[in-house]
Amino acid sequence: MPAQRNRDLPPTWTPAEVEGALYEQWVAAGYFTAEAPSDRPSYSIVIPPPNVTGSLHVGHAFEHSLIDALIRRRRMQGYNTLWLPGMDHASIAVHALVEKQLKAEGTTRRELGREAFVDRVWQWKAEYGGQILDQMRRLGDSVDWTRERFTMDEGLSRAVRTQFKQLYDDGLIYRAERLVNWSPVLRSGLSDAEVDHKEVEGELISMRYGDGDTSIVVATTRVETMLGDTAVAVHPDDERYRHLVGTQITLPLTGRTIPIIADEHVDPEFGTGAVKVTPAHDPNDFEIGQRHGLPMPTIMDEQGRIANTGTEFDGMDRFEARAAVREALRAQDRIVAEKRPYLHSVGHSERSGEPIEPRLSLQWFVKVGPLAKMAGDAVRSGEVAISPPEMAKRYFDWVDNLHDWCISRQLWWGHRIPVWYGPDGEMVCLGPDEQPPAGWRQDEDVLDTWFSSGLWPFSTMGWPERTADLATFYPTSVLVTGYDILFFWVIRMMMFGLYAMDGVPPFHTIVLHGMVRDGNGKKMSKSAGNSVDPQEWLDRYGADALRFTLLRGANPGADVPISEEWVDGSRRFGTKLWNATRFALSNGATVDSPVPDDLTDADHWILDRTDQLVSEVDTAFDEFEYARLAEALYHFTWDEFCDWYVELAKVQLAEGGARADATRAVLGRVLETVLRLLHPLMPFVTERLWTTLTGQKTLVIAPWAAVSGRPADPAATERIEAVRKLVTEIRRFRSDQGLPPGRKVPAELTGADLAGHEAAVRALTRLDEPADGFAPTAALDVALPAGPVTVRLDISGVIDVAAERKRLAKDLAAAEKELAQCEAKLGNPNFVGKAPADVVAKITGRRDAARVEIDRITAQLAALPAS
RNA sequence: GGGCGCAUAGCUCAGCGGAAGAGCACCGGCCUUACAAGCCGGGGGUCGUAGGUUCGAACCCUACUGCGCCCACCA
């Protein structure tokens, strides 16, 4: 006796019901837990959580869907998998908690003061670590979170310090003065990402330095910086200034003299061809200053006030000073020209809004040369593949031109730089288990978030300890992430992985997906009001529908547009599956017994197509072609299985006996296979349907679908294609003649042998057997490979001659166009001579078919009564 | 300024050397017992422009035009 099973499905369903119950079940069963290694090769993915429901925004949902699909397929293939949450979630959670805490205390960072605030942040990190973990869990993952695996915990801290010290000891970390983006309001440096460039209307002031023969005119949008000038630069080939190079000139207002130097950087075409050089307050000037060994006086304090110039401007705010300096120069008659407004782009602090000020300060750097070379070579050698391959070009552009990486940040949170300073200016870098001498102070800067992110593939596995996880899951197989993050994250992981893990790269394949766009292909942004909270769609359409939509749009490397109606379309697909399964169940579809040998053409055809589908899906998965596999599954399920096989199966089921039993077996087999193939893309609804259909416990760890090994039967497929063509032509005729699809019409089919498919054709086109007194009033011819078939129908009245003439005229035009095209090709001796023989044969065949078709239609038109 | 990419049906996108495709939208007809969250039928594109290569180009090459992204810069 087969196990008792409940083979009923409710006639209607809602995604929420199906998904809610299953999610709990899966969690309880441990399917979302990192699994122990087995004897199979391990497979791991370093990336955020797997279920769409926890996604912060639709971009996350997209990424999660891609990853989860890969993982589910691998699991069905018998591999153990591990996935890990991403860094971005951790930092988002910390931001949120810190802000919340501040608000609760009714204070702000500024009020608290920097020193006190930094202390508190570190304290909170310890205190709220658990809370952050909870929040991570709520973000949708039920990975077995442990403190050792969390960003802000001691484990990662150990990893960061170990890596820093190793790099430091190898001479790959150094400290140097550089310009940073300084926010006078926040009194902090900002990363480039925190700077918004905005077009503003400023002024361009041209002014004269020096006097008489040795005077030179320079221009600037920030006049006040002239107080910090230490040179004027011209292009070395510029004849106008050649005689001045190497001479000194007086810097107005300060009384200092500064040299005139020659530097390639200067564009002789721009302005006067002479540039003032303020090394401490402009990135280009800084580089010129470095090249020429110029002094670099800093002339502004932390709040953007002029300082240490020894002029009357000291103490003025920079904007106040801008006007004051301008007027002072005017008083000396040194202003040569003023352009106002002068439109140019100025960096602004993203958080506080004011223009940033480049400012000189001591920063920490990673010397990337040797690291970047390893990262480039790993891809060049083929050890690491990038998908789609076109993106490799972008990768090399980055990695081959990387400048030294500034890793110190003046932020409020993050991993502090593990360097301590002694009372007499000593400096020491300490590993995780080392303690600084009493009274030494730790560097207050924190590390760039990408420093710790770059450790992710191995720090999450317990590194620097040689853990079992590390041995099993490093290197990982596939990294899935957006192309926008290739530079920031992927390259860092490559460099650090190769460096820390003895030259073993952190993953074998890098899969880059696009960005999620709105339905019109526009970038989602809060200001445009087109950004999407996935939760809303999840509530309305379900996770399956959202995932399927996202995957269906995921063409390699290209962006993914998404709109609500497409998600709705995916939900309808879920409903289609639901109803198809209900049909199969109510007709007794079987999955336990093998498919019998005695099969109809329809059975052979759908089984062959199912095998093809399995191969197609496998290939698409292996090539990360999500859109292609979603499309293949959608069309097979809807257009072939539901629209044709199920309809043909109804005829076979009606026959009863062995025929019906065979049909039940085929129905069950095909549907069961499709559900397996669809599971990675629509996990919830397929789980529900598959378990009901098969009576088995879960689809999550069921074997992945494999091709049957049954020999294909192309002749059966050809006959079914003929049936489909005949049915479509009859339906078209009926539609053109205004016959309601449901109305039964007596008809007689003559001509080519229909190989036992006449009953099916009649059922699908609602044609009755001719009864006594059958008097056909209309006829149509359909050309099939086996020969023409004539259908005579009694449509109880006069046919619509005009409609029929129109229909035939259209077919005739198509056939004539086809004939003309083929004849043109075959009449071209170059084509016949140079094209491959099989192409010529194909065209010849098409020409002959077109000729037959034209004759047939012409005869039919002639036979029509005059209208 | 440097680099990369995209222009195909009303919209969003596949196809990337041998007959122009999908989803949605649109038009007409149907409640045909799995499904109206559905079924059947239909209309719609000189594949951005101009040259070139080829027997043959949406597909390869060149130029142009228009969009998008990344990086850099804006004295």
Side-chain angles (χ1 to χ4, degrees), chain A residues 47 108 141 157 165 219 275 285 620 763 766 815 830 843:
Chain A
I47 222 61
T108 66
D141 198 1
S157 198
K165 179 150 174 60
V275 179
D285 294 3
R766 306 261 151 189
N830 282 325
I843 299 293

Side-chain angles (χ1 to χ4, degrees), chain A residues 729-761:
Chain A
E729 285 300 318
I730 295 171
R731 284 171 173 169
R732 188 154 84 100
F733 176 85
R734 289 184 57 129
S735 181
D736 288 344
Q737 288 297 322
L739 293 168
R743 180 150 128 219
K744 301 264 189 186
V745 176
E748 172 189 74
L749 279 68
T750 56
D753 179 18
L754 289 177
H757 292 119
E758 184 171 332
V761 170

Side-chain angles (χ1 to χ4, degrees), chain A residues 644 648 717-735 747-767 779-793 807 811 853 856 860:
Chain A
W644 287 98
L648 292 165
T717 294
E718 209 170 281
R719 288 190 290 271
I720 292 299
E721 294 300 341
V723 167
R724 289 174 63 177
K725 183 180 180 195
L726 179 58
V727 167
T728 300
E729 285 300 318
I730 295 171
R731 284 171 173 169
R732 188 154 84 100
F733 176 85
R734 289 184 57 129
S735 181
E748 172 189 74
L749 279 68
T750 56
D753 179 18
L754 289 177
H757 292 119
E758 184 171 332
V761 170
R762 286 183 176 281
L764 267 53
T765 54
R766 306 261 151 189
L767 296 183
L780 84 153
D781 270 357
V782 181
L784 297 180
V789 171
T790 301
V791 185
R792 272 181 265 276
L793 309 90
R807 190 171 72 87
D811 289 352
E853 188 72 354
R856 190 181 60 79
Q860 270 191 275

